[in-house]
Amino acid sequence: MDIETETNTPVSPPAVVHENSGTSREVFLLAAPLIVAFLSFSIMGIVDTIIVGRVGTSEQGGVGMGASLYWTLICLFTGTISATNTFVAQSFGAGKLDTIRLWVLAPLLLVVPMSLILLPIIPYLDPIMELLGTTSEVRPHVEIYMVIRFWGTPFILSSFIFSSFLRGLGDMKTPMLVTLVSNVANIGLDLLLVFGWGPIPAYGVAGAAWATVLASLVSSGMYLMVYLGKKNNALYKTRSFVRVPKEMLLRYLKVGLPLGGTWFIESISWSVMTFYIAGIAPAALAAHTIVFQMIHFSFMPAIGLSVASSTLVGQYLGAERVDLAKKSARVALIWSCGFMTFVGLMFALMRTWLVGLFNSDPEVILIGGRLMLVAAAFQLFDAMGLTAAGVLRGAGDTRFPLYAQLGAAWLVFAPLILLLGDGLGWGIYGAWIAALIFIVLLAGLFYGRYLGGKWQSMRVH
């Protein structure tokens, strides 16, 4: 993190090409802090699930479904502004330091309108839940959780922008530290607000939501301090708030919106699955929530390697070193697939014990243990798809992933949920098998695009 010091020593940006370029060492130096940060973020979700599970099964399912639906509603925005990573990385690689702050200011202009768009949805949450077939036990908890989370949207969006700025520069340690601090704050606030202490009453599900909002506020505040710090201001003039040219904002949206659309479609797909399962029984929804949290935890290292590959590919393409971009992509793919294969094996062997950590209900453990076998089966393919998508994102290739996601989600995933779940009578297991097929298909499409090599000639800076 940037520490303010009184010095007149000129500040120079780190070199893009160096002795470790394109090696496993370079990939891991970038990915390791990311993996820690993402695992920490995932642990926060797991802790939330465990804590609320002590309140009740319906409450646990409501928080899981509320978090899923909230993410679905904002991921179009978070996906769009995550393009900051690509623009900053390519500008940094090309040595265009004077344009970097513009690629941060452009998405910052979108934070307020993006946040306001969500508020009119609040009055319609109850009929939406009813339309989606959410059980009466779970519905009120979903609504309470989501209404509170809406007010924290500006903090989440601004945190995404500033963290993408730092990652585009290759600074993965600062986002790791910010994430760790905010997650510790979230856990403490969870315990305080969910169960109460002294004069503070127990707020239950509402307490879990407020804890997350306040932790997001802490995160965005820390990022703002770093962004405006002396070092970043000396290099990129981050304290200079200038007008963003219209053509740059349009170029940003041209790359960012397809990326946001890809995230949105994927999230909608998983939400459709969650809504389907929510209409079965509270035990099924609780088991689904637990396993969903587990797979979020498991693929965080792959996400870390994906973001690292995206940054390196962007920087090296910006520096016109396609050879190093290819080497970095290949190394990230190999390590990601190897790690996730190991995770899949652990899921299969430890499935019952892992589910039991979250809920002691025998029915939840039985259902969750079976779902863990399906989750174990798609770990390798998830790694392949995530990392290949990261490579494409680093190059600015965002349209193909959007079309692939759209086709796989609505022509394969959603129909198979109903066909296998209701048509064949497999219920929740049919829905998860549909997810397995969806992930395998996407992995094949993204990896095929990566092998095609078109991304090597793309530039956005």
Side-chain angles (χ1 to χ4, degrees):
M1 296 178 68
D2 181 28
I3 305 298
E4 297 283 350
T5 57
E6 294 297 328
T7 176
N8 294 319
T9 304
V11 180
S12 300
V16 176
V17 179
H18 47 81
E19 61 181 5
N20 292 319
S21 291
T23 66
S24 293
R25 176 180 173 81
E26 179 189 41
V27 170
F28 274 106
L29 283 174
L30 285 183
L34 282 168
I35 292 171
V36 173
F38 291 149
L39 284 175
S40 173
F41 185 80
S42 185
I43 288 172
M44 180 175 69
I46 291 174
V47 170
D48 285 350
T49 304
I50 292 174
I51 290 174
V52 179
R54 298 299 183 265
V55 178
T57 297
S58 294
E59 287 83 355
Q60 187 180 54
V63 168
M65 185 174 181
S68 176
L69 183 55
Y70 174 74
W71 174 252
T72 298
L73 292 174
I74 72 164
C75 68
L76 172 63
F77 306 141
T78 53
T80 298
I81 61 182
S82 70
T84 303
N85 187 325
T86 299
F87 284 97
V88 170
Q90 291 200 20
S91 295
F92 181 77
K96 298 180 178 180
L97 304 188
D98 57 324
T99 66
I100 286 177
R101 76 175 184 274
L102 295 173
W103 297 126
V104 177
L105 293 175
L108 282 175
L109 293 174
L110 305 174
V111 168
V112 172
M114 285 178 170
S115 301
L116 292 176
I117 286 173
L118 297 176
L119 297 184
I121 299 173
I122 292 177
Y124 301 99
L125 285 176
D126 186 68
I128 290 173
M129 291 298 102
E130 186 175 1
L131 180 65
L132 293 171
T134 309
T135 61
S136 58
E137 299 95 336
V138 172
R139 192 185 308 158
H141 305 304
V142 177
E143 295 173 23
I144 291 171
Y145 185 84
M146 288 188 64
V147 169
I148 295 171
R149 287 294 305 274
F150 278 154
W151 299 105
T153 302
F155 309 132
I156 292 176
L157 296 182
S158 58
S159 293
F160 257 86
I161 294 169
F162 292 130
S163 63
S164 295
F165 156 74
L166 293 169
R167 288 164 180 156
L169 299 175
D171 178 3
M172 309 300 181
K173 292 182 180 179
T174 300
M176 177 188 71
L177 294 174
V178 172
T179 302
L180 289 173
V181 171
S182 60
N183 285 355
V184 169
N186 181 78
I187 293 172
L189 290 166
D190 258 338
L191 294 172
L192 178 64
L193 299 177
V194 171
F195 300 115
W197 184 74
I200 299 175
Y203 289 104
V205 169
W210 278 117
T212 303
V213 170
L214 293 173
S216 299
L217 173 60
V218 170
S219 174
S220 61
M222 293 177 66
Y223 275 128
L224 182 61
M225 291 175 61
V226 173
Y227 176 75
L228 298 175
K230 179 175 290 186
K231 180 180 178 181
N232 285 325
N233 183 57
L235 287 171
Y236 315 113
K237 297 181 174 61
T238 56
R239 297 176 188 173
S240 175
F241 294 90
V242 297
R243 177 180 170 274
V244 179
K246 181 180 178 181
E247 59 272 17
M248 292 189 73
L249 182 58
L250 292 176
R251 197 189 326 168
Y252 185 95
L253 291 173
K254 184 177 180 181
V255 173
L257 281 174
L259 182 56
T262 302
W263 287 29
F264 181 69
I265 293 166
E266 180 179 20
S267 187
I268 281 282
S269 304
W270 287 99
S271 292
V272 167
M273 177 179 170
T274 299
F275 297 146
Y276 171 80
I277 293 169
I280 297 175
L285 180 57
H288 166 79
T289 300
I290 291 168
V291 178
F292 203 68
Q293 289 286 358
M294 289 301 302
I295 63 173
H296 268 285
F297 182 79
S298 72
F299 68 50
M300 286 304 162
I303 290 283
L305 287 163
S306 174
V307 175
S309 68
S310 183
T311 296
L312 291 172
V313 165
Q315 290 185 354
Y316 288 137
L317 290 182
E320 299 300 333
R321 291 299 304 269
V322 177
D323 58 323
L324 294 177
K326 291 167 63 177
K327 288 179 65 177
S328 299
R330 184 167 59 250
V331 168
L333 273 163
I334 291 171
W335 281 108
S336 181
C337 290
F339 175 81
M340 293 292 276
T341 299
F342 173 77
V343 170
L345 179 62
M346 293 299 100
F347 270 15
L349 295 176
M350 303 170 66
R351 58 189 183 277
T352 302
W353 178 77
L354 288 171
V355 176
L357 290 175
F358 295 84
N359 197 306
S360 58
D361 186 333
E363 185 178 4
V364 173
I365 293 175
L366 175 65
I367 297 171
R370 292 171 178 172
L371 298 182
M372 287 289 284
L373 288 174
V374 181
F378 62 61
Q379 295 298 302
L380 169 62
F381 301 100
D382 212 10
M384 183 185 299
L386 285 169
T387 311
V391 173
L392 301 180
R393 184 171 61 250
D397 186 0
T398 57
R399 291 189 181 183
F400 175 82
L402 172 63
Y403 302 145
Q405 191 79 242
L406 182 64
W410 296 114
L411 298 180
V412 179
F413 191 18
L416 280 179
I417 291 174
L418 297 177
L419 176 63
L420 301 180
D422 286 343
L424 297 182
W426 293 353
I428 187 173
Y429 306 115
W432 272 80
I433 291 172
L436 169 62
I437 296 171
F438 171 63
I439 289 172
V440 171
L441 175 59
L442 272 184
L445 291 171
F446 290 156
Y447 189 66
R449 180 72 168 185
Y450 158 77
L451 290 178
K454 184 177 180 180
W455 59 272
Q456 298 170 25
S457 60
M458 302 184 73
R459 306 289 187 275
V460 299
H461 64 84

